[in-house]
């Protein structure tokens, strides 16, 4: 299992890498940033934590683990990471909303490139050998109290070295 504070650190570092990759493309808004990075224990806590937030938010769950008798730890945690922004009700279905989906989609593509990279999960385990090979990306509309954006789900593979704390 991944230690909660380590996962929160990972989310913050991931947010910095995503923005850096996004800003390296000269055609993008250099002032764009994440207003918050939120790691929640489950969807209920995520709803509570996002309730009064605004701006572009990187958020997700702290993954669990599957423990078996055959191995000391088989860390196969289901992860979901969102890039979300609250859409004002008067802008739903407008060009502005579709433009914002496009910006968030580009941020998500940068996040996916990072997750598929060789060193993405080295900070989450002592061995530095965690890799994710499959990502599932979906558009999200009006979730958690009016947020739109994108989610990526993936499973962390066997994480020998992902500490049991």
């Amino acid at each position: 299992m991944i230690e909660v504070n380590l996962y929160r650190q990972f989310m913050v570092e991931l947010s910095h890498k995503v923005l850096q990759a996004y800003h390296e493309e000269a055609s993008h808004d250099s002032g764009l940033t994440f207003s918050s990075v939120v790691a929640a224990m489950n969807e209920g806590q995520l709803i509570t934590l996002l309730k009064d937030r605004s701006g572009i938010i990187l958020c997700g769950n702290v993954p669990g683990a599957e423990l078996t008798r055959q191995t000391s730890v088989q860390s196969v945690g289901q992860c979901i990471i969102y890039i979300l922004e609250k859409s004002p009700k008067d802008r739903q279905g407008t060009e502005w909303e579709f433009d914002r989906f496009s910006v968030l989609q580009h941020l998500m593509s940068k996040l996916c490139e990072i997750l598929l990279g060789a060193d993405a999960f080295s900070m989450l385990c002592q061995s530095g050998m965690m890799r994710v090979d499959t990502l599932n990306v979906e558009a999200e509309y009006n979730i958690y109290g009016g947020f739109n954006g994108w989610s990526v789900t993936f499973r962390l593979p066997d994480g020998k070295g992902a500490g049991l704390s």
Side-chain angles (χ1 to χ4, degrees):
M1 288 184 284
I2 295 172
E3 199 270 318
V4 173
N5 286 325
L6 189 60
Y7 191 76
R8 288 177 62 216
Q9 274 182 282
F10 165 73
M11 293 284 288
V12 169
E13 185 173 320
L14 184 60
S15 73
H16 294 304
K17 288 182 178 185
V18 168
L19 289 175
Q20 180 181 5
Y22 181 83
H23 293 309
E24 285 175 358
E25 294 181 8
S27 63
H28 295 303
D29 175 10
S30 61
L32 188 111
T33 188
F34 289 110
S35 63
S36 307
V37 177
V38 178
M41 301 312 292
N42 58 34
E43 283 191 300
Q45 185 183 29
L46 194 55
I47 291 168
T48 300
L49 294 173
L50 292 179
K51 183 173 67 172
D52 297 321
R53 302 206 186 218
S54 61
I56 299 173
I57 300 168
L58 178 73
C59 56
N61 72 306
V62 177
E66 179 180 317
L67 305 175
T68 64
R69 291 179 194 251
Q70 290 82 1
T71 61
S72 56
V73 178
Q74 171 104 10
S75 181
V76 186
Q78 178 72 26
C79 295
I80 185 164
I81 296 176
Y82 298 94
I83 295 178
L84 300 173
E85 184 175 40
K86 191 166 261 187
S87 181
K89 289 186 191 257
D90 64 335
R91 294 205 173 166
Q92 291 179 349
T94 66
E95 280 301 311
W96 179 89
E97 187 176 54
F98 287 102
D99 288 344
R100 297 312 292 174
F101 263 108
S102 180
V103 168
L104 300 179
Q105 182 180 33
H106 198 84
L107 286 169
M108 180 57 76
S109 73
K110 295 302 176 190
L111 187 144
C112 290
E113 288 172 15
I114 292 164
L115 291 178
L116 292 171
D119 66 339
F121 295 96
S122 62
M123 67 175 288
L124 286 178
C125 64
Q126 296 151 357
S127 66
M129 298 302 288
M130 252 187 215
R131 280 209 54 151
V132 171
D133 294 322
T134 303
L135 303 174
N136 297 306
V137 178
E138 293 186 33
E140 302 290 349
Y141 184 77
N142 201 26
I143 64 170
Y144 304 129
F147 286 89
N148 297 340
W150 297 87
S151 66
V152 59
T153 56
F154 55 93
R155 293 179 67 83
L156 292 176
D158 182 3
K160 296 179 184 114
L164 267 180
S165 299

